[in-house]
């Protein structure tokens, strides 16, 4: 019998955030079990919503958004993003340097496809948001992971980055603010990364989708604002800041040494044209969203849901014997460490499956973020405190007797 197999291009591609543990949870749900899901950063199902004006804008624009747009995006969206780039201090950005996408996801994939030849190396953080590793691998690149250091607030380890550069390294990726750690990088760290990129003539890709979800008065710096002489691609969008992940709208901004990247930009333009354009109704709300009421600010202040849930989960996890976690400064994820000796954990996926089976709570093991020892997992703290409390109670109970077999 002839069977149909996936392309060998996918052989080394790993994308576990929606992987085996999630599949098992779906199966259990089909069997009628109720699963508490702490696995995906999708705000709306947890009761978060966009500012009303954004929804109204979408409704009023829907009639005139029926056609394809310019492949980079409509004028009002790109103009608003350009101003946004200026406010963040990203130098020399014109309308031409801005591309809208069906979420940042589409643009990340596009950038990897346009850049990487087989064997080219790209530096990506560990832990990472796994789309980066998956898309770079799919494009034929060799992903080299550099370590973010839990002992230093999960900041990138600069010596590790330096030690991993070869003459094949083309680019470095940073995720700032970070998923899964919630870290926000200070200017001094970013300056060191810029210096490395400058010395070794690397492209900087900066994923800043959480740039408006920062707590405790920390300041976010766009690395591109520190690198007028380095070719940078900065990604952001409305999925998280405006809680409209389902609308699929993100963007990327090219800046810095564009003269060095003419060939690459040609490739980006070609792929951008090939997908015709991004979702036009979603583009139509960018100006209102960026220029209007920033309801996200309410969520991230003391008393706001994201802030209070962050404080709760941070304390609750650290109160469980055998678990410790660095306090997240941004986004809505925490990446705790688990004492592998105490619980005899040698396989983090098995740990997540065991917890799921016994307590019906869904977590993503560290492996899903290209973290290659079995001592971490990620919790999404979007559910309300009552639900988080329930989940943490279950974890405490589960771990009181757990030993991996
Ligand atoms: N980058 C990071 C770091 C993310 O966490 C996510 C989504 O969780 C994305 C990109 C994808 O965002 P989008 O909805 O814009 O595709």
């Amino acid at each position: 019998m002839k069977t149909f197999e996936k392309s060998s291009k996918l052989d080394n591609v790993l994308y576990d955030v929606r992987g085996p543990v999630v599949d098992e949870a779906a199966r259990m749900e089909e069997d009628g079990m109720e699963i508490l899901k702490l696995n995906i950063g999708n705000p709306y199902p947890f009761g978060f919503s966009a500012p009303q004006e954004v929804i109204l804008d979408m409704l009023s624009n829907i009639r005139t958004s029926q056609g394809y747009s310019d492949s980079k995006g409509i004028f009002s969206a790109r103009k608003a993003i350009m101003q946004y780039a200026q406010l963040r201090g990203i130098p020399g950005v014109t309308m031409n340097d801005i591309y809208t996408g069906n979420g940042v996801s589409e643009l990340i994939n596009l950038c990897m496809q346009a850049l990487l030849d087989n064997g080219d190396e790209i530096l990506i953080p560990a832990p990472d948001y796994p789309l980066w590793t998956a898309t770079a691998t799919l494009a034929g690149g060799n992903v080299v992971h550099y370590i973010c250091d839990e002992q230093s607030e999960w900041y990138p380890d600069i010596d590790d980055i330096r030690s991993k550069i070869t003459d094949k390294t083309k680019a470095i990726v940073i995720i700032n603010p970070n998923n899964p750690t919630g870290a926000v990088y200070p200017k001094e760290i970013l300056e060191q990364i810029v210096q490395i990129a400058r010395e070794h003539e690397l492209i900087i890709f900066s994923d800043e989708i959480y740039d408006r979800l920062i707590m405790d008065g920390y300041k976010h710096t766009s690395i591109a604002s520190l690198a007028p002489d380095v070719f940078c691609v900065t990604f952001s969008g409305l999925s998280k800041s405006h809680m409209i992940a389902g609308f699929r709208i993100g963007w990327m901004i090219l800046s810095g040494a564009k003269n060095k990247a003419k060939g690459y930009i040609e490739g980006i333009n070609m792929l951008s044209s090939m997908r015709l354009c991004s979702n036009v109704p979603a583009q139509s709300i960018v100006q209102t969203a960026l220029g209007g009421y920033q309801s996200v600010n309410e969520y991230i202040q003391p008393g706001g849901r994201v802030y209070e849930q962050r404080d709760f989960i941070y304390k609750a996890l650290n109160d469980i014997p055998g678990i410790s976690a660095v306090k997240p400064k941004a986004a809505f994820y925490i990446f705790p460490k688990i004492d592998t000796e105490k619980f005899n954990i040698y396989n983090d996926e098995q740990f997540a499956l065991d917890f799921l089976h016994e307590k019906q709570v869904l977590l993503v093991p560290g492996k899903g973020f290209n973290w290659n020892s079995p001592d971490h997992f990620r919790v999404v703290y979007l559910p309300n405190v009552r639900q988080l409390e329930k989940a943490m109670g279950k974890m405490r109970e589960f771990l009181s007797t757990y030993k991996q077999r």
Side-chain angles (χ1 to χ4, degrees), residues 102-105 108 129 175 179 207 209-210 239-240 248-249 333:
N102 294 309
V104 160
S105 305
I108 291 174
Y129 175 63
I175 302 169
N179 173 8
D207 182 342
I209 188 119
Y210 298 101
S239 289
K240 317 290 176 172
R248 310 309 297 127
I249 176 71
Y333 311 99

Side-chain angles (χ1 to χ4, degrees), residues 14 17 50 88 114 159 170 199 256 290 307 336 392 405:
L14 181 81
V17 180
R88 317 214 113 246
D159 292 336
K170 276 198 148 167
E199 271 170 40
L290 284 181
Y307 184 96
M392 290 303 100
R405 276 191 255 224

